[in-house]
Structures are given as C-alpha cells and as structure tokens.
Amino acid sequence: MRFTPRGTRFFDLLADAAKNLVTATALLGDLVAADPAGRESIAKRLHEVEHQGDELTHTIMVELNSSFVTPFDREDIQALAAKIDDVLDFMDTAADLAVLYRIGTFPPGTDVLVRVLCRAAELTASSMPGLAKVGELEPFWIEINELENEADRVYRRILAHLFEPGGDALEVLKTKEVVEQFELAADAFEHLADVVQTIAVKES
C-alpha cells in the first residue's frame, strides 16, 4: 500500500516549472515574428526563463534527496522535471541559434509550429496541478500526442519549402537547424506526457 503525503510541495514545484513553458513559448512566438534586429533581446529573455527552469529543476532534485516519502515514484518525479527542462532547453537553443545564425525570415509554417508548442505548453501547465489525481489526466496525454503528430506534419511541410530548388544551401541548413529545435521541443512535450501516463498506470 502506498502512503501518499498530504503536502503538495512536488506538485507545486512541477506546476511552477510548467508555467515557465507558457512564458517560453510566448517568447518563441515573439522571436519568430520579430525582425532579426529585435531577436537578441527576446532570446536573452527566453534564456532567463530557461535559467529559472534550471533552478526549479535543481530545487526538485534537492527535495527528492531530502524527502523520505514522495507522492509517487522518485524516478517519475525526476523524469517529469527533466522532460520539462528538455522542452525549455530546445526552445532556448532555437532562440540562441536564430540570433547566432542571423536567420532572416522564417519559412512559412513556422508560426503554425510555434502555435502548436504554445498549445502544448498551456495544456501542460493546466494539467500539472492535477497530478494529485493523475488518473484523470488522460485527455492531457491524448491531446499532447495529437499535437506532436500535428507538429510533425507542419515540420515536414516546412522542410519541403526549405528544400525547394533555388535556395541558398547554407541558409537552408542554418534555418533547418533552428526549426528542428522547435520540432524536438514538440517531441519533448510528448515524452513528458508519456511520463504522466506511466504514473497514471502505476497509480491505478
């Protein structure tokens, strides 16, 4: 029989970490819409959000190491924190590369991909407080899976546009590397949702 503590410390920390995803995806949308000259300041703000995420992840790890009883398996709490951190890392990398590579105009469909990420972030942030009743979160991991499939479709269309004849090969490769980070962020959202589903199975 599992003893579930009454405290909500881990749930609160994971919810706070997930809120950072909403902020980060909004900044990513700003970055895609901005002209190249305005992107550096946005990328800096996004990096600050990523740093806040690192601090929250560190706090969660410290809590894990000092807590005798946890609401569910330690490795699952660690995995949730790590997956949230992965999403932030991919978005931070995308923003950093966009500035370093001096990307001009993003290819058509990039804004759609960002909107998918924004929806995934909002869904994740609204679902994390529900971890105390994780069995009720099935709609969360189902929709995240659907969003990841949509991100894949959009990403393929972006690639098709990028590799149309006549493009500058170096610019194509640089832009592809940046947009790929968006797609990896979508994958990481799905991996996060998979952890939630695993927890639900264990707790059922």
Side-chain angles (χ1 to χ4, degrees):
M1 180 179 296
R2 183 184 300 276
F3 171 72
T4 301
R6 294 180 182 178
T8 61
R9 177 67 170 158
F10 286 111
F11 300 138
D12 292 342
L13 286 170
L14 289 167
D16 287 344
K19 289 175 186 175
N20 265 346
L21 299 176
V22 177
T23 304
T25 51
L27 287 169
L28 202 62
D30 292 342
L31 182 122
V32 168
D35 59 63
R39 288 186 183 139
E40 187 169 356
S41 62
I42 298 170
K44 182 178 179 180
R45 287 161 57 199
L46 205 158
H47 185 67
E48 290 169 354
V49 172
E50 190 273 337
H51 181 66
Q52 292 169 4
D54 285 342
E55 291 179 344
L56 280 167
T57 301
H58 176 71
T59 301
I60 291 170
M61 296 303 110
V62 170
E63 288 286 327
L64 276 176
N65 290 331
S66 61
S67 298
F68 179 69
V69 180
T70 57
F72 36 80
D73 289 346
R74 293 171 186 273
E75 61 266 27
D76 292 327
I77 296 174
Q78 184 176 2
L80 275 179
K83 298 308 178 186
I84 292 172
D85 189 60
D86 285 347
V87 177
L88 283 172
D89 285 345
F90 287 128
M91 290 191 284
D92 182 45
T93 299
D96 193 34
L97 289 176
V99 173
L100 291 174
Y101 289 170
R102 298 181 175 88
I103 301 299
T105 302
F106 279 92
T110 307
D111 57 332
V112 178
L113 188 52
V114 171
R115 286 200 296 273
V116 171
L117 294 176
C118 286
R119 174 57 185 161
E122 291 165 359
L123 194 61
T124 302
S126 65
S127 297
M128 286 300 100
L131 286 171
K133 297 181 179 179
V134 69
E136 299 177 5
L137 292 179
E138 183 176 0
F140 161 68
W141 64 72
I142 289 175
E143 185 171 351
I144 289 291
N145 180 264
E146 292 170 351
L147 288 169
E148 195 278 332
N149 289 336
E150 183 179 353
D152 281 345
R153 290 191 293 270
V154 174
Y155 178 62
R156 288 193 292 268
R157 289 198 294 271
I158 292 172
L159 290 185
H161 175 83
L162 278 176
F163 288 110
E164 286 179 353
D168 180 271
L170 182 58
E171 290 303 314
V172 166
L173 290 175
K174 290 192 294 185
T175 304
K176 176 184 179 293
E177 187 174 349
V178 175
V179 177
E180 184 178 28
Q181 300 302 312
F182 296 3
E183 200 274 334
L184 289 172
D187 288 345
F189 270 118
E190 184 180 38
H191 298 157
L192 191 163
D194 289 342
V195 175
V196 174
Q197 185 176 8
T198 297
I199 295 168
V201 171
K202 289 182 180 180
E203 297 294 310
S204 62

